[in-house]
Amino acid sequence: MPDIKATEGSCLCGGVRFEIWGNALRFAYCHCKSCRKSSGSAHVSNIGLPKENLRWLAGEELVQVYTDEVDNPGFRRAFCRRCGCAVPKLSRNGLMYVVPAGLLDGDPGMRPDVLIWWEERAPWLKNLDALDKLGEGAGSAVRDPARSGFTGEY
Ligand SMILES: [Zn+2]
Ligand SMILES: [Zn+2]
């Protein structure tokens, strides 16, 4: 894996801030049920890196840990107590930080190269290349329903 360019990340409310750098162990999209449930999305996008390569800049006291006892027993989730945003957490063995890449405020320079737990992917997952691309949110589709076929309101 390539080096990560030193990059800062933050949660939605800005209370939790951190910095990562150095050699990543992996950058993966995880499609497991536990990740889908906790993110409310098709997959999480996580960078794994040695725990020495993350430094908390602010808000470590806001980090709340939840341990999954249902879909992936013993697997920890961490989130900001104030805004509910997923934040970095230690792996099961405590040696690696798992960093939600969506938190990064800059480009770390590396790209994901693997989809994990593919067999547990959502049935509605679709190839991104097959979907229309809008420059703005769904509201922009309302202005151009002929192109998108979207006739509702957002
Ligand atoms: Zn927050
Ligand atoms: Zn997962």
Side-chain angles (χ1 to χ4, degrees):
M1 276 286 179
D3 265 8
I4 301 172
K5 280 194 311 200
T7 310
E8 289 189 17
S10 54
C11 66
L12 194 55
C13 74
V16 177
R17 295 195 303 112
F18 61 91
E19 182 181 28
I20 58 171
W21 65 89
N23 254 317
L25 302 169
R26 76 175 186 208
F27 188 174
Y29 294 168
C30 183
H31 293 262
C32 83
K33 187 177 175 189
S34 177
C35 284
R36 287 193 287 111
K37 289 272 186 189
S38 70
S39 67
S41 189
H43 60 76
V44 298
S45 308
N46 283 337
I47 295 174
L49 75 172
K51 71 173 182 188
E52 298 77 20
N53 293 25
L54 180 146
R55 183 165 63 102
W56 296 100
L57 300 174
E60 209 176 340
E61 74 283 357
L62 289 173
V63 176
Q64 176 83 44
V65 174
Y66 171 78
T67 303
D68 182 352
E69 300 298 348
V70 180
D71 288 316
N72 190 354
F75 195 76
R76 290 188 294 257
R77 303 279 170 189
F79 56 93
C80 169
R81 203 190 296 274
R82 198 154 69 196
C83 69
C85 196
V87 298
K89 64 173 179 70
L90 284 171
S91 59
R92 276 178 198 268
N93 64 11
L95 299 176
M96 179 177 88
Y97 266 114
V98 178
V99 179
L103 300 182
L104 299 178
D105 295 310
D107 184 349
M110 67 180 295
R111 300 293 179 258
D113 63 357
V114 65
L115 308 176
I116 59 175
W117 290 98
W118 182 243
E119 295 302 320
E120 289 195 13
R121 68 190 180 278
W124 43 266
L125 180 71
K126 208 169 162 185
N127 186 331
L128 297 184
D129 292 335
L131 299 174
D132 281 345
K133 312 292 188 297
L134 303 178
E136 308 166 51
S140 63
V142 177
R143 293 195 288 274
D144 189 10
R147 186 166 63 91
S148 68
F150 182 84
T151 54
E153 281 189 47
Y154 232 60

